[in-house]
Each structure stands twice: as C-alpha cells, then as structure tokens.
Amino acid sequence: MSLAVVILAAGLGTRMKSSTPKVLHKICERPIIQYVVDSIKPLKPGKIIVVVGPNSEGIKNALAGYSVVFAIQKNPLGTGNAFKVAAKELKRFKGTILVLSGDTPLISASTLQRLLDLHRQGGEDISINSFIGEGDHCYGRIIRKGGEVEAIIEDRDADEEQKKIKEVNGGIYAIKSHILNLLKEIKINKGKGEYYLVDIVGIAVNKSYRVAAHIIGGESELTGVNTRKDLYKVSRYLRDRVVERWLQDGVSFIDSASVFIHPEVKIGMDTVIYPNVYLEGETIIGDNCTIYPNTRIVSSEICNSVVIKDSTVIESSIIKDRAVIGPFAHIRAGSIIGSSSKIGNFVEIKKSVIGDGTKASHLSYLGDAEIGENVNIGAGSITCNYDGQEKHKTIIEEGAFIGSGTQLVAPVRVERGAYIGAGSTITEDVPSLSLAISRAEQRNVKNWAAKRRPKDKKGN
Ligand code: UD1
Ligand code: MG
C-alpha cells in the first residue's frame, strides 16, 4: 500500500497562552512534534508533509534531522484549510494518506498500523481514529446513525444531546487519495471562521463513500495538547507508560508517581529507584543499582551495582561498577568514575577521570584531573584548574595520598604513592613516594591567651 503522511502543525495554539508554538512545547525535554514524527517512522511512509505557519523556523529546526517536507499554511484558517495546503504536495499521489495532528504526541506506531490495517480490510475511504473521552473535554463528537458514522460535530457546535456522546475524534485519519477532491466542498464554519477538516466526514457520507471510526489507542495515546493542562496530562501519561515498562522489566520503584524517566533511558534488572528521581536523555542504568531520592542523572552511563545516594546530579558521565556516589555530589560532564570508588558529600567533579578504588569522600572540587587507582583525596582538597584564562590539568598517580585541605595548583603532577601533608598548596610536581608539605611551620606562643584575657573586677 502506498502511504503518505500529513501532519497538521500550523495552528496558533492560542489556548497554551505561550510565546512558544504549541508543537514545540516539550515533554521529557523533547518537542512534541518530534514524538509525532517518530511515531510514523516504523510505517515507512513514502512522504511526510508537515503543515506549518509562515514563521516556523523553530519547527523546522526541531525537525532538522528528519526527512520531511514542509507545506506553508499562510493563514491559520483551520484544519480543513491546513490539509488543503498539504494536498497540493499530493496531486499525483495515489494511495492512503494518514493525517495526524501535530499536537497528539503519544500516539503509538502500533495504533497507527492498526488503523491502516482496518482501513484496508474494510475497504474504507475515510477511517477515523476515535476513542472514549473521559471527563471535561473539547473533542469533536462522533455522530453515528444505526451504528454507522454520519458526521463529526465539534464541541463548540454540539447541542446538549450530542455533547453526551462519549466517542470522540482523535484527530487522526486514514484517507484514500481520491477523497482529496472533496476538500473544496468544506464550507467555512461561521462561528469560528475556520474550515474544519472534520466536515469532510459528513460530505463523504452524503456521497456514499465508506466512512468508519475505530475506537483504538484510548485517551492515553490520543490526548491532544491544546492547553497547559493537556500538556501536563500527556507528560503524566508518558511517565506512567515508561514506569510500567520498567516495572515489567524487573525495576523497583518506591514511589513511581514522583519519578520522571525519559523514554530513551534504559534500566537494568534489580535496580531500585527511590522517589523524586529524574533519569534523562539517553541514560543507561545497569543491574542492581540503587538510586536514592532527589537525584538527577542526564545522558550518563551508570554501570552495575552502583549506589547513588540522595540529592546527587550526574551529567554526561560514566560511573563504573560498585562505585558509591553522594549524597550531595555533582558529577559534571566528561567525567569517568572508576569502579568501587567513592565520591562523597559535597564533592564536585568536572571532566575528570577517577581511578578504581579512589576515594574523595568530603567537600572537594576535582576539575580537569586525571586521578589513578586507590588514591585518597582528603576532605576539602581542591584542584585549582583555572588561571583566569585557561584550564590546566592535575595528574595524581596511583596510590597517592592527598591530605585534607590541599590545593593542587595546576598544571601539576603528584607521582605514584606520594603523600601530601594536610593544608598544603602544591605548585610543583611531587616525586613518587615523597612527602610534600608546604604549610608554614606551627609556632606556639606560650600563655598568649591568658595575657590577652581581660581582668575581672577583683583583678584576676
Ligand atoms: C481537532 C478536531 C477535533 C478533534 C481534536 C483531536 C477539527 C476541526 N477538530 O480539534 O474534532 O477531537 O482535534 O485532538 O479538526 N492546525 C493547522 N492549521 C490550522 C488549525 C490547526 O495546522 O489552521 C493544526 C494544529 O497545529 C494542530 C491540529 O491542526 O496540530 C489540530 O488543531 P487544533 O486547533 O488543536 O484542533 P482541536 O481543537 O484540538
Ligand atoms: Mg488539538
């Protein structure tokens, strides 16, 4: 079957009350239009036409990596007019046109495939993806007579009886190409001043074309984003879908209602996720990890049996097996944390490699550092990696011991097994197995405090 896809995305989205075009609002950091285009990829359509408004650089940028063509709807004169604009690109096309709304991001490829299968099996000219709408909503109602679809009536045009109809229009249709001829018969809706694509249903039924609506997908796939409330609802649906998948695949959640896991994330078996955890981007979490509350992990790889303690942020980094990170740690982009290492309270690591078994347990900043295996970084030690103009490297070799409160002024190297006395400022390389100590020698001034103390009334 020859398949073309049209995505309507030129609406103004005024109900969002936003300066951002509706289809560029994000769920899990990705614009909703990308979800729609992704959903049709598995169907391998010959052509994808996205209808956009005249000032649509943002949408074009969001779809830069996708093979789609854009059709420009000069004025937002409604969905019927938007489809007409796309139809100009389909003059010679023969086959089925799948029409989607750019504001319905959770539609799945399998539901779309199902719609196309039913469309073909029933020899239908127009197949509508409908669903049962719950609660208050503004979806078009599917009007049936003797079970057959007769028309779609928009919420604002529906009378009290029609408003009670539960079956609503999902805004997704499979349409045979010869139906394009009927587009010119859509009349302007006087109330709204727009051409409604849904009116093509009544027109086609009157001409005895085969029109059917199929209740597939449900509200969790077909919710259209018209308002911020819809956006919120859709992001909850997506969260629940992702959590459900990982529950089935052996991941435990203490409170799944408070976590957000992006759809691309992968999580291994027996991993336990505590409340308020955000796993973002293409993060991979291994088997048997524990991720404690209030943690955000972005585009990172966490290997197996890693423990991430509370309130930790990890960005674009790799954490190897059995490492323990946090609480309150910040692992910044470009870091590799070795296996069985320990990065503790209030430690910030930036673009650094930390060797296996190395410990930085308290209050450190390690930036642009290369730290070998089994190094101990004492509390409060920092790398001074920036001279105001450039960043410099600190190298600490295997088995070195960095005493508490050390400042390592980069570029500097501490060789294998060397010791640094607490409170030192290290500006020169330290040879292997040496002790470097740079603080001023201690001086005790006898009775100093007693002399300074003010005398009481009795002169003591
Ligand atoms: C539409 C349907 C409604 C259905 C609902 C499903 C119509 C008239 N109504 O209503 O029956 O229940 O979707 O979500 O079709 N668009 C354009 N150009 C325009 C206007 C809209 O490209 O001039 C695009 C929008 O960007 C959007 C899509 O068409 O992606 C649907 O438009 P929207 O305004 O969201 O229609 P709804 O009121 O949701
Ligand atoms: Mg809509």
Side-chain angles (χ1 to χ4, degrees), residues 25-46:
H25 279 266
K26 291 178 177 172
I27 330 169
C28 292
E29 303 295 327
R30 281 178 64 221
I32 60 181
I33 188 74
Q34 286 186 0
Y35 287 86
V36 179
V37 184
D38 282 342
S39 73
I40 54 184
K41 264 190 203 158
L43 311 176
K44 300 195 172 66

Side-chain angles (χ1 to χ4, degrees), residues 414-427:
V414 178
E415 289 184 2
R416 180 182 289 254
Y419 268 65
I420 293 180
S424 294
T425 301
I426 300 299
T427 53

Side-chain angles (χ1 to χ4, degrees), residues 15 22 101 103-104 139 223-226 230:
R15 287 168 280 179
K22 179 165 77 169
S101 297
D103 68 353
T104 306
Y139 295 110
T223 294
V225 178
N226 296 322
D230 296 329

Side-chain angles (χ1 to χ4, degrees), residues 190-236:
K190 293 213 178 73
K192 190 95 193 285
E194 286 186 1
Y195 297 88
Y196 287 170
L197 176 55
V198 296
D199 288 353
I200 207 168
V201 170
I203 295 168
V205 169
N206 279 336
K207 293 184 187 292
S208 304
Y209 285 107
R210 285 186 75 96
V211 179
H214 304 286
I215 302 177
I216 47 174
E219 187 159 7
S220 66
E221 283 192 34
L222 287 157
T223 294
V225 178
N226 296 322
T227 63
R228 300 272 179 173
K229 202 170 163 184
D230 296 329
L231 185 67
Y232 180 77
K233 206 168 163 186
V234 155
S235 90
R236 296 278 138 169

Side-chain angles (χ1 to χ4, degrees), residues 113-307:
Q113 188 57 58
R114 190 88 214 283
L115 181 71
L116 290 174
D117 291 346
L118 291 163
H119 173 72
R120 200 186 52 237
Q121 286 156 16
E124 295 158 7
D125 297 298
I126 300 179
S127 312
I128 304 153
N129 193 163
S130 60
F131 66 104
I132 303 302
E134 308 288 348
D136 277 354
H137 61 72
C138 299
Y139 295 110
R141 308 300 199 278
I142 307 289
I143 311 293
R144 289 182 185 262
K145 195 175 173 191
E148 299 295 317
V149 174
E150 214 181 26
I152 298 177
I153 301 291
E154 285 303 281
D155 183 68
R156 66 198 310 275
D157 302 324
D159 61 32
E160 283 314 306
E161 278 312 299
Q162 289 167 333
K163 280 194 191 220
K164 287 182 193 154
I165 295 170
K166 290 266 182 228
E167 186 186 8
V168 298
N169 173 23
I172 293 174
Y173 324 85
I175 299 177
K176 288 256 169 67
S177 47
H178 59 254
I179 293 293
L180 293 179
N181 288 327
L182 304 184
L183 280 175
K184 55 183 179 296
E185 295 186 32
I186 296 178
K187 304 247 167 8
I188 197 160
N189 176 289
K190 293 213 178 73
K192 190 95 193 285
E194 286 186 1
Y195 297 88
Y196 287 170
L197 176 55
V198 296
D199 288 353
I200 207 168
V201 170
I203 295 168
V205 169
N206 279 336
K207 293 184 187 292
S208 304
Y209 285 107
R210 285 186 75 96
V211 179
H214 304 286
I215 302 177
I216 47 174
E219 187 159 7
S220 66
E221 283 192 34
L222 287 157
T223 294
V225 178
N226 296 322
T227 63
R228 300 272 179 173
K229 202 170 163 184
D230 296 329
L231 185 67
Y232 180 77
K233 206 168 163 186
V234 155
S235 90
R236 296 278 138 169
Y237 280 137
L238 181 60
R239 192 265 309 281
D240 293 346
R241 189 193 286 182
V242 171
V243 164
E244 182 61 34
R245 175 191 164 188
W246 293 117
L247 282 169
Q248 280 176 21
D249 276 6
V251 176
S252 286
F253 292 90
I254 306 298
D255 173 20
S256 67
S258 70
V259 301
F260 267 93
I261 299 171
H262 287 187
E264 305 80 28
V265 170
K266 294 191 169 54
I267 314 175
M269 255 180 6
D270 290 321
T271 284
V272 180
I273 297 183
Y274 277 71
N276 277 332
V277 167
Y278 288 70
L279 304 178
E280 304 183 1
E282 297 196 350
T283 290
I284 299 173
I285 312 276
D287 292 344
N288 208 27
C289 293
T290 307
I291 305 180
Y292 284 104
N294 308 320
T295 288
R296 180 161 167 257
I297 303 176
V298 185
S299 305
S300 294
E301 186 182 346
I302 313 294
C303 299
N304 298 322
S305 304
V306 169
V307 177

